């Protein structure tokens, strides 16, 4: 059964974008914006990853353009593991027609063998373990509460549109457990997946906060954040979500949200990617600044668009 918002989105007439892009349904448009938002936030944040807010101000003033560089010495518009792992997972879901741990683990293993520009320690360790054991589920660990699974939830969110929430949660955990088998990581992946689907269905931010974020904090009070700004967030998934939620709920448009979160520094490619994913789903394609879309690597832009629309198309049959 689809949510009411999804039924409307699926049945509504397609709209042709004023830029001459192919016509998209409202649902496909928001999904595409979420994927482009993920990649744009990744590319924007990568330039200032591991910098402090003070260092960012000294070097950039307010960092607001996709310029490359950073510790990875990227070309302008190039992305990191946040986007490329998501694309690897999405390709695998489309190829196999399902979301499970084996499909995800094989996709990530192939991705790692292709020598990505960046890879997290937890991801690397548990994928090497998978090669040795053949078990696609990493062992539970209190130490694996990083953000490496949360950054790649988008393909699961798109592929499971219309499925019951229990099925969505199960799919979210399946992809996460390939590298991060931890209650805090699980909770973050689950809430982000469901938030994306809420925004795809047209829900407003206040309702989503009430329905998703507040229950998360009730279950895991660590995710609560006082009024003090969460600057320099680490790869710890709690700090990641605190920074993202502060920026996301304190701003009213796509551009302000991403500028806010990446200028906090720290693990800025991942906070930027997650915030961009949510903001894209919330505000849609028209809200993404043209300068950022033009600056994004052309191949990555095409893959994000194509995959978003393919996953939405496949979600109807999967549901």
């Amino acid at each position: 059964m689809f949510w009411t918002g999804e039924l409307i989105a699926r049945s509504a007439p397609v709209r042709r974008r004023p830029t001459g892009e192919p016509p998209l349904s409202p649902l496909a448009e928001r999904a595409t914006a979420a994927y482009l938002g993920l990649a744009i936030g990744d590319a924007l944040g990568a330039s200032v990853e591991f910098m402090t807010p003070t260092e960012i101000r000294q070097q950039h003033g307010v960092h607001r353009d996709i310029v490359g560089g950073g510790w990875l010495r990227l070309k302008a518009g190039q992305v990191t593991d946040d986007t490329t792992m998501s694309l690897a997972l999405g390709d695998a879901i489309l190829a196999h027609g399902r979301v499970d741990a084996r499909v995800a683990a094989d996709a990530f293993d192939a991705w790692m063998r292709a020598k990505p520009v960046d890879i997290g320690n937890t991801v690397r360790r548990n994928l090497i373990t998978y090669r040795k054991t053949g078990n696609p589920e990493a062992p539970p660990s209190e130490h694996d509460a990083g953000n490496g699974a949360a950054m790649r939830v988008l393909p699961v969110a798109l592929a499971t549109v219309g499925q019951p929430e229990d099925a969505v949660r199960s799919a979210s955990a399946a992809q996460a457990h390939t590298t991060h088998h931890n209650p805090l990581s699980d909770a973050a992946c689950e809430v982000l997946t469901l938030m994306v689907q809420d925004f795809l269905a047209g829900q407003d931010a206040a309702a989503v906060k009430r329905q998703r974020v507040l229950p998360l904090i009730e279950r895991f009070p660590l995710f609560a954040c006082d009024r003090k700004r969460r600057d320099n967030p680490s790869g710890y998934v709690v700090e990641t979500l605190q920074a993202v939620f502060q920026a996301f709920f304190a701003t009213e448009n796509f551009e302000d949200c991403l500028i806010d979160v990446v200028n906090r520094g720290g693990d800025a490619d991942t906070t930027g990617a997650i915030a961009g994913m949510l903001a894209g789903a919330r505000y849609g394609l028209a809200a993404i600044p043209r300068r950022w879309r033009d600056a994004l690597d052309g191949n990555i832009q095409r893959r994000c668009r194509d995959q978003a629309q393919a996953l939405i198309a496949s979600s109807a049959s999967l549901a």
Side-chain angles (χ1 to χ4, degrees):
M1 177 181 292
F2 297 108
W3 303 337
T4 301
E6 287 163 352
L7 281 170
I8 294 171
R10 290 183 185 279
S11 61
V14 296
R15 295 179 292 172
R16 182 173 295 278
R17 306 302 301 170
T19 55
E21 296 164 358
L24 298 174
S25 71
L27 176 60
E29 182 183 37
R30 285 181 182 267
T32 302
Y35 229 131
L36 289 175
L38 175 109
I40 286 169
D42 182 4
L44 183 69
S47 301
V48 293
E49 186 181 13
F50 302 139
M51 296 173 66
T52 67
T54 298
E55 291 169 337
I56 294 170
R57 286 193 295 272
Q58 290 173 343
Q59 185 168 328
H60 298 278
V62 176
H63 177 53
R64 57 176 68 247
D65 291 307
I66 295 176
V67 295
W71 76 278
L72 291 170
R73 300 179 181 178
L74 301 178
K75 297 178 181 178
Q78 191 174 359
V79 295
T80 74
D81 52 341
D82 302 74
T83 304
T84 57
M85 284 195 89
S86 297
L87 288 168
L89 176 59
D91 284 343
I93 292 170
L94 290 168
H96 294 275
R98 66 183 190 276
V99 183
D100 64 30
R102 180 74 62 184
V103 166
D106 285 342
F108 297 147
D109 181 54
W111 168 85
M112 185 168 72
R113 291 180 187 275
K115 302 186 183 302
V117 67
D118 187 24
I119 183 170
N121 292 332
T122 302
V123 170
R124 185 194 305 275
R125 169 169 47 82
N126 283 319
L127 288 178
I128 289 174
T129 299
Y130 169 56
R131 291 179 185 176
K132 294 177 179 177
T133 66
N135 184 354
E137 185 171 281
S141 172
E142 63 179 312
H143 303 294
D144 289 353
N147 58 24
M151 71 188 191
R152 59 182 196 236
V153 301
L154 183 56
V156 175
L158 301 184
T160 59
V161 164
Q163 294 190 19
E165 284 196 10
D166 285 348
V168 176
R169 291 186 174 96
S170 178
S172 174
Q175 80 82 16
H177 287 177
T178 57
T179 56
H180 294 69
H181 196 163
N182 176 277
L184 293 173
S185 171
D186 287 353
C189 290
E190 176 184 306
V191 75
L192 290 171
T193 301
L194 292 169
M195 286 177 71
V196 168
Q197 293 188 344
D198 290 342
F199 288 122
L200 294 180
Q203 295 194 35
D204 66 81
V208 172
K209 183 176 183 179
R210 184 170 59 251
Q211 183 178 358
R212 304 299 182 192
V213 179
L214 298 183
L216 170 70
I217 294 171
E218 186 174 340
R219 287 172 56 205
F220 296 97
L222 282 171
F223 284 102
C225 192
D226 59 25
R227 294 183 180 181
K228 182 178 180 181
R229 179 182 168 99
R230 168 57 77 182
D231 280 336
N232 203 29
S234 70
Y236 179 36
V237 73
V238 171
E239 293 187 7
T240 297
L241 260 62
Q242 287 174 335
V244 167
F245 289 160
Q246 280 188 340
F248 182 77
F249 290 110
T251 53
E252 295 296 331
N253 61 69
F254 183 94
E255 182 173 8
D256 287 349
C257 175
L258 262 64
I259 290 174
D260 183 318
V261 80
V262 301
N263 279 276
R264 295 166 184 250
D267 200 5
D269 61 330
T270 297
T271 57
I274 294 173
M277 169 187 75
L278 294 175
R282 177 183 179 184
Y283 297 113
L285 273 174
I288 300 177
R290 171 57 64 180
R291 74 181 191 282
W292 286 350
R293 291 165 66 180
D294 290 345
L296 187 63
D297 176 87
N299 181 57
I300 292 295
Q301 184 170 168
R302 176 188 57 78
R303 290 186 65 195
C304 289
R305 288 176 176 276
D306 290 350
Q307 192 177 105
Q309 293 160 36
L311 286 168
I312 286 297
S314 71
S315 69
S317 59
L318 289 174

